Each structure stands twice: as structure tokens, then as C-alpha cells.
Amino acid sequence: AGDVDVLAGAWSFPEAAAATMFEKVVVIDCKNHLLGRLASIVAKELLNGQRVVCVRCEDINISGSFYRNKLKFLDKLRKRTNTNPAHGPYHFRAPSRIFHRVIRGMIPHKTHRGKCAMERLKAFDGIPEQYEKSKRMVVPDAFRVTRLKPGRRYCVLGRISLEIGWKHKEAVERLEAKRKERSAVYWEEKKAQLGKAKAAKAAVADQFDAKLAKFGY
């Protein structure tokens, strides 16, 4: 309901790590989470067998100034096979693919166990239609506001992606604006329905209270 960044049912690690918390699929809203911290928690859950969907990867934060991180990424782009660049390493530009690659680096992806873990992961820029009405979780232990000292510099992954060649930022922003409009309409309708249900329950409760009062209850 609505475009909510923090949800009551959020994961809490490492406190809850001991308990098995398997859901069929967990949808994580990556907005305002730190890249490495979120990736490490997601990687562990994937290895434990949990299916994870990460949405809004373009809003992931990275500690350190934009300029410093941009230089790091540009330095990384230089690394290639000199004789034939088609042999790799491959440098993805989309935020979702960058995040996917960060998680892959934390998983033994060449083993059968690691391969199966990576198959449980999905990462998206924006929020696809099939996950619009799903409950989105946050990870408090990876939140920028809880992990980064106030006043420290940070940057947004989407901006770095744009600078190194990502071509779909405008398209994602346009689709997100439409989704937020639909979401606002849905939330207003849901609030109206909840209000009617509450009023109906209250009306019925009054009738039963009067009848029970006759019998001394």
C-alpha cells in the first residue's frame, strides 16, 4: 500500500538470524540501503535457501563521495582481456546487474551450492508490475541512516550507473512515476474499504453488547 520505504515486518539481523524465517519469497526494497552490507545479508539468506527479490536497486547507497566512487568504477572498467575484450571480465552498467555481481562475489558461485543460491536471486531497477502489491521488506542492519555516521558523504548507485553508460534511467523514472500514481489510488481505495469494515464491525458489536448486557455479561 502506497510508496512506503520502511515496513513494520522488516527483517532484523543478526538478532533474528538464529530463527528460521523462510518465506516463499522475500521482496526487499533496496532504497537507502548500503550496497555491501545489504549484499552480504542477502548472500547469506540465498545460501540458506531463501528466495529473494530486490527492487529499486537504482536507489542503493554507497558510502564515500560520488567523485571517489566514480573514479573507482572507471578504474574497474579499464580491466579487460587485452587480446580479446569479449573474453571478459564483463562490466555491467545497470544498477540491478551491478548489485547482482556484488552478491555473486560473496557466494561460491562456481560450486553447485553457489549456483543454486544465485538462481534464488532476482534484482530489478524500479518495481516491476508483478511485485507492485507485494509487501516490501527493509533490512535495518544495512540501512544508511543506522550504519553511516551523520554528515558522512555517500552517493547513489543509479547516478554512478548513469555516468558509466546506463541508458535507461529516464525510462525507469517514468515507469516509477506511473506506479506511484497507481499505488496512491489503490491505497485510497483500500483505506475507504478498511473504514467501512471498521464501521460495520462497530455497529454489529453494539448490538451484541446490548444483548449480552441483558444476561449480565
Side-chain angles (χ1 to χ4, degrees), residues 165-208:
W166 182 42
K167 294 183 174 66
H168 303 293
K169 188 172 189 289
E170 285 180 12
V172 169
E173 284 175 353
R174 191 170 63 249
L175 291 167
E176 277 293 279
K178 286 181 182 176
R179 178 190 66 78
K180 286 174 184 176
E181 284 174 19
R182 289 196 303 271
S183 189
V185 172
Y186 169 76
W187 178 233
E188 290 302 320
E189 287 174 1
K190 189 175 180 182
K191 271 202 295 188
Q193 286 174 355
L194 289 170
K196 284 178 185 175
K198 193 176 178 182
K201 278 181 186 176
V204 173
D206 290 342
Q207 292 173 16
F208 281 113

Side-chain angles (χ1 to χ4, degrees), residues 3 5 29-35 38 55-62 95-96 124-127 144 154-159 166 169 172-173 176 179-180:
D3 190 47
D5 294 327
D29 188 349
C30 297
K31 184 174 181 176
N32 295 331
H33 288 73
L34 288 172
L35 179 67
L38 181 61
V55 296
R56 293 216 281 187
C57 290
E58 72 278 8
D59 290 324
I60 288 175
N61 294 159
I62 306 174
S96 55
F124 297 101
D125 301 313
I127 301 178
R144 189 196 78 243
Y154 68 92
C155 60
V156 181
L157 183 58
R159 188 183 169 198
W166 182 42
K169 188 172 189 289
V172 169
E173 284 175 353
E176 277 293 279
R179 178 190 66 78
K180 286 174 184 176

Side-chain angles (χ1 to χ4, degrees), residues 6 15-16 26 28 33 44 53 59 75 91 115 117-118 137 155 169 175 183 195:
V6 181
E15 294 85 355
V26 171
I28 301 179
H33 288 73
K44 190 63 181 173
V53 176
D59 290 324
D75 192 47
H91 303 293
K115 183 174 172 244
M118 289 306 294
M137 303 294 192
C155 60
K169 188 172 189 289
L175 291 167
S183 189

Side-chain angles (χ1 to χ4, degrees), residues 52-55 57 95-97 99-100 103 121-125:
V52 181
V53 176
C54 300
V55 296
C57 290
S96 55
R97 298 305 298 165
F99 185 56
H100 190 279
I103 292 170
L121 173 67
K122 288 182 182 178
F124 297 101
D125 301 313

Side-chain angles (χ1 to χ4, degrees), residues 103-172:
I103 292 170
R104 198 190 79 165
M106 300 179 180
I107 283 176
H109 67 277
K110 293 189 179 183
T111 64
H112 179 68
R113 176 172 173 251
K115 183 174 172 244
C116 292
M118 289 306 294
E119 285 171 2
R120 295 184 201 110
L121 173 67
K122 288 182 182 178
F124 297 101
D125 301 313
I127 301 178
E129 197 172 341
Q130 66 265 39
Y131 298 111
E132 263 185 37
K133 293 178 184 176
S134 303
K135 186 175 183 181
R136 299 192 286 279
M137 303 294 192
V138 296
V139 185
D141 278 4
F143 246 179
R144 189 196 78 243
V145 288
T146 57
R147 285 296 173 187
L148 209 58
K149 189 177 177 182
R152 296 292 189 197
R153 292 178 183 178
Y154 68 92
C155 60
V156 181
L157 183 58
R159 188 183 169 198
I160 289 176
S161 290
L162 182 67
E163 297 273 337
I164 62 172
W166 182 42
K167 294 183 174 66
H168 303 293
K169 188 172 189 289
E170 285 180 12
V172 169

